[in-house]
Amino acid sequence: MPTFHTYDGTELAYHLVGEGTPLICLPGGAMRASAYLGTLGGLSARRQLVLLDLRGTGDSAVPDDPATYRCDRQAEDVEALRAHLGLERVDLLAHSAAGDLAALYAARYPHRLRNLVLVAPTTLATGLPAAVGDAREAAALRASEPWYEDALAALEEIWAGRMTGELRARTRPFLYGRWDAAAQEHAAASPAQINAEAAARYAGEGAFDPAATVAALRTLEAPVLVLAGEYDSVLTPDRAAELAALFPHAEFAVQRGAAHFPWIDDAGAFARTVEAFLDPEVHSIRAGGIRLAYRVWGDPAAPPVVLAHGRCGNSGDWARIAARLAGTHRVYAFDFRGHGLSDWPGRYSFELFRDDLHGFLEARNLAGATVVGHSMGGAAAYLLAERHPGLIGRLVIEEVPPPFPLDPPRPVPEHPGGELDFDWPLVPSTDAQLNSPDPAGRELLGDIGVPTLVVGGGPGSWIAQEDLAWMADRIPGAELVTIDAGHLVHTERPEEFLAALRSFGM
């Protein structure tokens, strides 16, 4: 367990979890040991989490002067940790009450921040105190829960100014999206992890100067993510949006089905959102309520191309092709819902993937772009071109599933086991549609009014090549090119695939 000495000589401990670029993590509580953060929903698979035990908590020493528990004075502890780690600038994540600590650090040391993630943060430092009315409305969203009446009665007592350990324990179900065994185990560890004396001093008189802090934060150059849980009554989504508005470069996200500990409620959703934000090569937009992650290459002034990946893939599948196209195009590759770093909402269909493509084109103002779709992405593209031809300038569909029932039909698939980088329910959902596709998909092929290239993978593909030829014949003016590569044409034969695109006029 590594340690360092902070500005007043107090020895502080931190814990390293995972590998990768360091992410300093500040625990809330207030003044709760960092152990409750765990792996932050598996975020440690991509980043090295530096979990700081604040002074007097966990494995850190108790300071000689208890007045140093005050939030503003602990900002110097964060700076001391940065210097100890030898980092010029840091990525910083703060949860709950540590949101105030992170805000003070950002205001005092803005040049030391590269990225800031605020997870269900408190807002005393910015002068946005919690409103009981908002919290009561958020609590009411849980009215169908069996624990609701008792937990609400305890919460009303706390709002009236009567705080006890027993009351706090009764309200804990509100802090989790599901009050299941995992949540109860997580909550049960809280009392032993909190330094009550330190917590009482944390927000003491003089800790905050909201006017000065807000003025400093309004000039912060570092990107900021404010992440709220849909059901959180500590920081409601509305209040989180107000907080995000204080920063000039902020993203605001609401994790559905989550409350105050979103990585406990849905580890994958939490880790994907934070990872996408922290990755400098990944951007996000919202389309139809779904967050879609994407990557971009090339000159912003160049003609746009949008690359749509196949089922169980992600935008990274296009990296080699995108790098080559970027010499003459502005290239965008996004993750469909249920794939990669985009949201995994649990419901999937080719029509919903079509809507993702539609939403992405509109959100990025890419009407008239060339769209290149592989397999599932190609299906989404031609379904969109059938109904909204004005959104697409040119269309390339590579190894697209034809709109004919599979013969023989696919059986119900079994989960392969282990961790997946896509949401498993999308497989049985789309298999069912492949077995029995909507006839409109083939009936409207003649309505595609844009230049279209159909790319087949030859006899090694599972796609019936005669069906691709039939599709090309039905799409007005479509060209058909066959590259003997199997289903993954752009992966297995990238040079021939690029040559086909060039011949098509790209």
Side-chain angles (χ1 to χ4, degrees):
M1 174 193 62
T3 63
F4 66 102
H5 289 85
T6 187
Y7 70 95
D8 65 347
T10 304
E11 186 177 28
L12 303 184
Y14 60 96
H15 306 267
L16 301 177
V17 181
E19 298 180 354
T21 303
L23 174 63
I24 294 177
C25 303
L26 306 180
M31 301 305 294
R32 184 173 178 178
S34 65
Y36 82 95
L37 296 173
T39 66
L40 285 174
L43 189 60
S44 58
R46 297 289 186 270
R47 302 296 294 256
Q48 182 182 63
L49 307 184
V50 182
L51 308 177
L52 176 64
D53 281 342
L54 303 180
R55 52 179 55 222
T57 71
D59 294 311
S60 288
V62 173
D64 293 334
D65 181 3
T68 60
Y69 285 134
R70 209 173 71 178
C71 183
D72 57 322
R73 293 171 180 172
Q74 294 193 63
E76 296 305 322
D77 293 344
V78 181
E79 174 60 8
L81 175 57
R82 180 206 62 79
H84 166 75
L85 295 173
L87 301 173
E88 185 67 23
R89 294 194 301 158
V90 297
D91 293 333
L92 185 65
L93 180 147
H95 174 245
S96 190
D100 289 320
L101 176 56
L104 296 182
Y105 181 79
R108 194 175 300 176
Y109 295 101
H111 57 294
R112 296 302 189 187
L113 271 181
R114 184 168 50 218
N115 294 286
L116 175 60
V117 180
L118 300 174
V119 181
T122 50
T123 56
L124 293 175
T126 52
L128 297 172
V132 171
D134 292 344
R136 188 175 283 112
E137 289 180 7
L141 298 174
R142 319 298 297 280
S144 63
E145 301 282 3
W147 45 260
Y148 174 75
E149 294 296 338
D150 180 69
L152 180 63
L155 202 55
E156 292 285 0
E157 289 288 313
I158 291 173
W159 287 333
R162 294 179 288 275
M163 168 67 85
T164 67
E166 185 266 339
L167 288 172
R168 185 169 184 170
R170 287 165 55 192
T171 66
R172 285 196 183 113
F174 280 119
L175 300 178
Y176 299 87
R178 296 184 310 277
W179 189 233
D180 55 14
Q184 292 174 40
E185 180 180 1
H186 189 261
S190 177
Q193 293 172 338
I194 290 179
N195 181 330
E197 178 191 0
R201 293 178 178 269
Y202 184 75
E205 184 177 355
F208 306 122
D209 182 352
T213 299
V214 168
L217 296 181
R218 288 195 184 280
T219 64
L220 184 67
E221 289 299 315
V224 178
L225 172 65
V226 179
L227 175 61
E230 178 184 10
Y231 298 136
D232 194 0
S233 57
V234 178
L235 177 83
T236 64
D238 286 347
R239 185 52 52 90
E242 290 182 48
L243 177 63
L246 299 179
F247 299 94
H249 308 290
E251 294 183 24
F252 166 55
V254 176
Q255 185 172 315
R256 294 184 178 181
H260 198 59
F261 299 95
W263 68 93
I264 300 295
D265 297 323
D266 188 335
F270 175 82
R272 286 189 297 274
T273 300
V274 177
E275 182 184 342
F277 170 76
L278 290 174
D279 189 331
E281 297 183 356
V282 176
H283 311 272
S284 295
I285 56 100
R286 298 198 73 84
I290 301 295
R291 183 184 57 81
L292 300 177
Y294 69 97
R295 294 172 169 84
V296 62
W297 299 259
D299 184 349
V305 174
V306 176
L307 306 177
H309 65 79
R311 190 177 77 167
C312 306
N314 59 63
S315 56
D317 297 347
W318 290 107
R320 187 173 181 182
I321 297 297
R324 294 287 297 276
L325 290 176
T328 54
H329 293 80
R330 178 68 162 178
V331 185
Y332 300 83
F334 73 98
D335 295 342
F336 282 102
R337 69 180 66 201
H339 296 79
L341 295 178
S342 290
D343 283 348
W344 295 13
R347 292 180 57 252
Y348 305 99
S349 68
F350 286 108
E351 291 75 19
L352 289 173
F353 297 133
R354 173 200 66 199
D355 294 345
D356 288 346
L357 177 58
H358 188 173
F360 183 80
L361 292 173
E362 290 196 331
R364 296 298 302 143
N365 194 27
L366 293 173
T370 296
V371 174
V372 181
H374 172 243
S375 195
M376 179 196 80
Y382 86 71
L383 290 174
L384 181 62
E386 289 177 340
R387 290 160 176 79
H388 300 281
L391 279 174
I392 296 176
R394 299 172 74 83
L395 176 63
V396 179
I397 47 178
E398 171 202 353
E399 277 288 295
V400 63
F404 298 106
L406 290 180
D407 185 21
R410 289 181 179 174
V412 176
E414 295 185 6
H415 194 291
E419 295 271 336
L420 302 174
D421 58 2
F422 60 89
D423 195 8
W424 172 251
L426 68 87
V427 174
S429 295
T430 51
D431 272 359
Q433 286 193 285
L434 291 172
N435 288 339
S436 182
D438 183 351
R442 56 179 175 269
E443 293 167 0
L444 296 176
L445 286 173
D447 292 346
I448 296 177
V450 301
T452 301
L453 174 66
V454 180
V455 179
S461 169
W462 67 268
I463 299 287
Q465 300 298 290
E466 60 271 21
D467 289 343
L468 290 182
W470 183 92
M471 291 182 68
D473 187 58
R474 294 302 185 276
I475 299 172
E479 302 176 33
L480 174 64
V481 171
T482 299
I483 300 172
D484 191 7
H487 189 56
L488 303 176
V489 179
H490 72 271
T491 301
E492 299 297 329
R493 299 285 180 87
E495 295 301 328
E496 292 177 52
F497 182 76
L498 286 164
L501 297 185
R502 286 193 294 270
S503 296
F504 184 57
M506 290 178 58

